[in-house]
Amino acid sequence: MGLTHIRTPKNFVLEERLERYGDAIETKPEAFAGRWAKACFPLVADGACADSFDAVYLDLGCGKGSFLVESARRSPQSLFIGVDIEPICIAYAAQRICEEQVLNALVIPRGTGALERIFAAGELAGITLNFPTPYPKRHFARRRTTTVDNLLVYRRLLVHGGTLTLRTDSQPLRDYTLTQLAAAGYRVIWTSDDVRAEHPGFPETEYEARLAAQGAAVWGVCAVPADAPSPEQVQRGRDTEQSLVAYLPDDLESLDYVPLGMEAAVMNLINRRRNEARRL
């Protein structure tokens, strides 16, 4: 996921691509809530005796599908479902699934708001948020995928012990997410300032590769639902949905990399502080 819509390449006919790779796209996912693992199990499964996948994983904001497909390839006994609201992402991800003949992955053209209609309570073994749009301005804070209210939805969909993992180039988004996880009653398993080095097992996304070339670090956190939060906890989380500028370090000029979407805010802060220093 990124800050802007993906541009349609020249000679790319979206409708034709969606039709050509439609076998990997589920357009009526609500019909499978609670039975994904069994309904999507391959008819021919290389000598397997089971009749169901052992777990279902969600890649929320799957982009062009590289993370989704590689995850599915590494764990053929599990089902991996990618969800994205961008039709062009769905087309690319479906193409990758079909061309690489991955039987345990599919994509769904939906957004975060549809999740509780698509999945039953306790159906997901894990949810991954790879480089979601941070929406740094306070005005758009409710659009972040890691608000306390979205986290409450995720915890209802996760099995006991199911994991929620965020990877991002934005330290402010990661640190904001930690406050929201606490408000939503999650227990943090790990937090990282360098996910690539400390947790190298994650497949790389296309977006991540571009960011790495620009010198971006990957910040992350992994958590599991714990005790249900009190109404007061949840409200505290809602009350902290401020601008991500609040989570920037004090020494802005020492930043080697500014998260995408925050460049203007950081430059404005630096100039403001310089002007204040001159006045003093």
Side-chain angles (χ1 to χ4, degrees), residues 13-26:
V13 181
L14 179 60
E15 293 74 14
E16 186 273 333
R17 292 288 184 103
L18 292 172
E19 181 178 356
R20 189 193 315 176
Y21 303 111
D23 286 348
I25 305 171
E26 181 50 62

Side-chain angles (χ1 to χ4, degrees), residues 38-136:
K38 194 174 185 69
C40 295
F41 195 71
L43 295 177
V44 180
D46 293 338
C49 297
D51 62 354
S52 173
F53 288 111
D54 64 2
V56 181
Y57 291 90
L58 171 63
D59 182 5
L60 183 56
C62 64
K64 294 183 179 180
S66 60
F67 179 91
L68 178 73
V69 169
E70 183 57 29
S71 296
R73 192 193 312 282
R74 295 181 185 184
S75 300
Q77 75 283 0
S78 299
L79 175 64
F80 291 82
I81 299 177
V83 170
D84 207 293
I85 201 169
E86 289 282 358
I88 192 170
C89 288
I90 292 296
Y92 273 122
Q95 179 178 351
R96 185 183 292 266
I97 291 169
C98 292
E99 290 182 347
E100 300 191 26
Q101 299 181 350
V102 178
L103 298 179
N104 59 323
L106 60 91
V107 286
I108 298 173
R110 293 289 190 279
T112 304
L115 293 183
E116 287 190 291
R117 300 192 301 273
I118 296 173
F119 302 105
E123 188 166 20
L124 299 176
I127 300 174
T128 303
L129 309 173
N130 285 314
F131 303 91
T133 303
Y135 294 107

Side-chain angles (χ1 to χ4, degrees), residues 68-207:
L68 178 73
V69 169
E70 183 57 29
S71 296
R73 192 193 312 282
R74 295 181 185 184
S75 300
Q77 75 283 0
S78 299
L79 175 64
F80 291 82
I81 299 177
V83 170
D84 207 293
I85 201 169
E86 289 282 358
I88 192 170
C89 288
I90 292 296
Y92 273 122
Q95 179 178 351
R96 185 183 292 266
I97 291 169
C98 292
E99 290 182 347
E100 300 191 26
Q101 299 181 350
V102 178
L103 298 179
N104 59 323
L106 60 91
V107 286
I108 298 173
R110 293 289 190 279
T112 304
L115 293 183
E116 287 190 291
R117 300 192 301 273
I118 296 173
F119 302 105
E123 188 166 20
L124 299 176
I127 300 174
T128 303
L129 309 173
N130 285 314
F131 303 91
T133 303
Y135 294 107
K137 294 183 178 180
R138 181 176 184 176
H139 182 69
F140 298 113
R142 290 298 178 92
R143 297 185 183 181
R144 297 171 193 155
T145 57
T146 57
T147 62
V148 63
D149 290 296
N150 280 332
L151 293 173
L152 291 173
V153 171
Y154 306 152
R155 68 173 288 143
R156 289 192 287 271
L157 302 180
L158 287 167
V159 301
H160 178 71
T163 57
L164 175 75
T165 306
L166 166 73
R167 297 192 308 138
T168 176
D169 69 307
S170 173
Q171 179 185 357
L173 179 63
R174 194 279 309 270
D175 292 349
Y176 160 83
T177 298
L178 288 171
T179 70
Q180 301 298 286
L181 288 168
Y186 283 72
R187 176 173 59 86
V188 173
I189 297 176
W190 56 257
T191 181
S192 174
D193 297 351
D194 188 350
V195 177
R196 285 195 196 92
E198 297 173 3
H199 303 276
F202 287 100
E204 188 177 61
T205 72
E206 299 91 345
Y207 189 66

Side-chain angles (χ1 to χ4, degrees), residues 201-219:
F202 287 100
E204 188 177 61
T205 72
E206 299 91 345
Y207 189 66
E208 180 180 0
R210 294 200 304 272
L211 294 178
Q214 299 173 31
V218 179
W219 307 81

